[in-house]
Amino acid sequence: MALEINITNKSLDKLTQKAFIYIEGQRNTLDMKRLKSEETDQMKIPTTTTDLAKNIMLSYLNTDSAIINTKIGQVTSLTQTMQLDIIEITPEGTIRYRMH
């Protein structure tokens, strides 16, 4: 069983900072590729019944080296598929996104 996240960089800029996706409570984090504009990637995070109703988190460093952790969704199924679109990467390193 796995959470599948399809990622598309729809911003005009390359993702240059380190970014990770993980399920809250899991020890494993997955590195997002440093996607160029319009580039896509797919991540699969193994899931078990203990992951149901847990938050899906995006973590990254901004240009001030501050760690940003933000909830981007919730595990609702053991075989869930989601789409993460990176909309904008600000000069300060903030990642603006849309999940669907």
Side-chain angles (χ1 to χ4, degrees):
M1 310 293 172
L3 167 65
E4 186 176 295
I5 301 176
N6 299 303
I7 305 164
T8 303
N9 183 358
K10 293 188 174 186
S11 77
L12 299 175
D13 301 305
K14 179 180 178 179
L15 181 65
T16 57
Q17 66 266 57
K18 280 201 163 270
F20 307 92
I21 294 180
Y22 63 95
I23 296 173
E24 216 169 35
Q26 281 192 359
R27 291 183 178 189
N28 299 329
T29 61
L30 294 178
D31 276 344
M32 281 177 53
K33 287 185 181 174
R34 294 182 180 181
L35 300 173
K36 297 176 186 172
S37 183
E38 297 303 319
E39 196 172 18
T40 62
D41 189 29
Q42 184 181 73
M43 300 176 83
K44 290 186 180 184
I45 304 173
T47 56
T48 66
T49 54
T50 58
D51 296 319
L52 290 173
K54 298 246 178 110
N55 293 330
I56 302 164
M57 304 295 291
L58 170 65
S59 179
Y60 62 92
L61 290 173
N62 67 12
T63 55
D64 294 330
S65 295
I67 299 172
I68 309 299
N69 292 307
T70 185
K71 175 184 169 185
I72 60 172
Q74 191 170 43
V75 179
T76 58
S77 168
L78 294 178
T79 56
Q80 186 172 343
T81 301
M82 301 180 82
Q83 175 69 40
L84 170 63
D85 294 333
I86 298 171
I87 305 293
E88 179 185 12
I89 303 164
T90 69
E92 298 81 22
T94 301
I95 299 173
R96 300 200 195 288
Y97 65 90
R98 179 179 67 226
M99 287 291 292
H100 52 99

